Amino acid sequence: MIPESAPFQLIPGAVESPVLLHVPHSSRAMPEQVRSGIVLDDGALETELDHITDSHTALLAALASEACTVSPWRFVNGLSRLVVDPERFPDDREEMLAAGMGAVYTRTTHREPLRPTGTDPEPLLDRYFHPYARAMTAAVDERLAATGRAVVIDVHSYPATALPYELHGTGPRPPVCLGTDGFHTPPGLLARAEAAFGGLFGTELNSPFPGTYVPLKHYGTDPRVGALMIEIRRDLYMTEPGGPAGPGLEALASALARLVDDLMDA
């Protein structure tokens, strides 16, 4: 379990860096009072965490940061996305509501019950989602004030084989999926990511997961905020599901570091 006082962490980088590596789904931890509201037994919960957690992505971001010439900032979620998913819309705009996976999940990756029918999401949103969103907004505002721009790089992973919850699971599953936004992903940012990851691994756009994360304060209105989601297929760097990291992790961290360093000249 994780202390209530540390649900997320902003890890400082260089003052002059506009880059914020966002790691929202790397943790398996949840407070006991949240665990008590989940209907899975302990074994089933561990299996679900194996499938839903972007394992080792916090380590990937840390290794990349250490390799950068100018260190980026990192915002790391200390709680499992089964507590709340900070990257979902907290309302009816969220398409994953159709799979029972809005900001507060009610279904598992295999579409089985996760929480009781009729669970009220508001207490979890108030305690965990909204403070997280405010802190991420503040982190982006700080990069804008310090450098005049902010670049949010979302660090994710996804399984080699589609899981039943995926709404777009029939498309390509490339080594690296680059999720983009029509307003916040400028061509130069995308080109740099394709150069950093394409040569070694290969990339595709928005398949199987489209889009990227931008705080709602800036979403669709502030062109100074760039954003890109990097979804890494898990068989490149770990044993699925939920197993240890392998040697591919270091190569991916080096590619991410190249992208971050290149963004300093953008």
Side-chain angles (χ1 to χ4, degrees):
M1 299 301 171
I2 193 165
E4 285 288 318
S5 59
F8 48 79
Q9 185 178 18
L10 177 63
I11 302 166
V15 173
E16 66 270 28
S17 176
V19 180
L20 185 62
L21 298 181
H22 182 216
V23 188
H25 294 157
S26 64
S27 177
R28 300 170 69 98
M30 65 179 64
E32 182 57 43
Q33 68 268 28
V34 178
R35 169 66 184 97
S36 65
I38 289 176
V39 301
L40 304 179
D41 64 30
D42 288 347
L45 177 58
E46 288 302 307
T47 298
E48 179 62 14
L49 287 167
D50 286 344
H51 287 299
I52 200 64
T53 304
D54 291 352
S55 299
H56 315 298
T57 49
L59 176 59
L60 171 64
L63 291 173
S65 296
E66 291 171 3
C68 289
T69 303
V70 178
S71 296
W73 296 62
R74 284 178 283 149
F75 194 102
V76 181
N77 188 5
L79 296 178
S80 168
R81 64 198 291 190
L82 297 185
V83 178
V84 296
D85 191 332
E87 295 219 310
R88 304 289 199 234
F89 287 112
D91 51 36
D92 290 343
R93 289 173 292 179
E94 179 52 59
E95 70 168 353
M96 289 302 295
L97 282 170
M101 287 186 164
V104 175
Y105 295 179
T106 59
R107 294 278 166 172
T108 70
T109 51
H110 289 74
R111 302 206 175 206
E112 298 296 327
L114 179 73
R115 289 185 166 92
T117 301
T119 294
D120 181 4
E122 292 304 320
L124 289 171
L125 294 176
D126 288 342
R127 190 171 187 89
Y128 300 107
F129 183 94
H130 297 307
Y132 188 106
R134 288 193 294 269
M136 253 308 272
T137 301
V140 170
D141 282 340
E142 288 173 4
R143 293 302 86 220
L144 290 172
T147 72
R149 62 190 178 110
V151 185
V152 180
I153 304 296
D154 243 1
V155 184
H156 291 263
S157 69
Y158 75 98
T161 301
L163 292 169
Y165 83 93
E166 296 182 26
L167 299 183
H168 310 285
T170 59
R173 303 183 81 79
V176 178
C177 161
L178 300 176
T180 66
D181 177 85
F183 186 88
H184 291 283
T185 310
L189 172 56
L190 180 58
R192 285 173 167 82
E194 289 174 327
F197 288 96
L200 285 176
F201 307 103
T203 64
E204 300 233 12
L205 301 185
N206 297 312
S207 179
F209 296 99
T212 189
Y213 178 86
V214 178
L216 290 177
K217 173 184 175 180
H218 308 283
Y219 183 67
T221 61
D222 194 339
R224 298 175 301 163
V225 180
L228 180 76
M229 179 171 67
I230 298 173
E231 286 269 6
I232 300 163
R233 205 177 64 213
R234 291 175 189 157
D235 61 342
L236 291 184
Y237 73 91
M238 64 173 285
T239 302
E240 295 187 80
L249 190 73
E250 292 187 2
L252 287 160
S254 294
L256 181 56
R258 286 195 298 273
L259 170 60
V260 172
D261 279 342
D262 201 18
L263 289 170
M264 290 301 300
D265 300 324

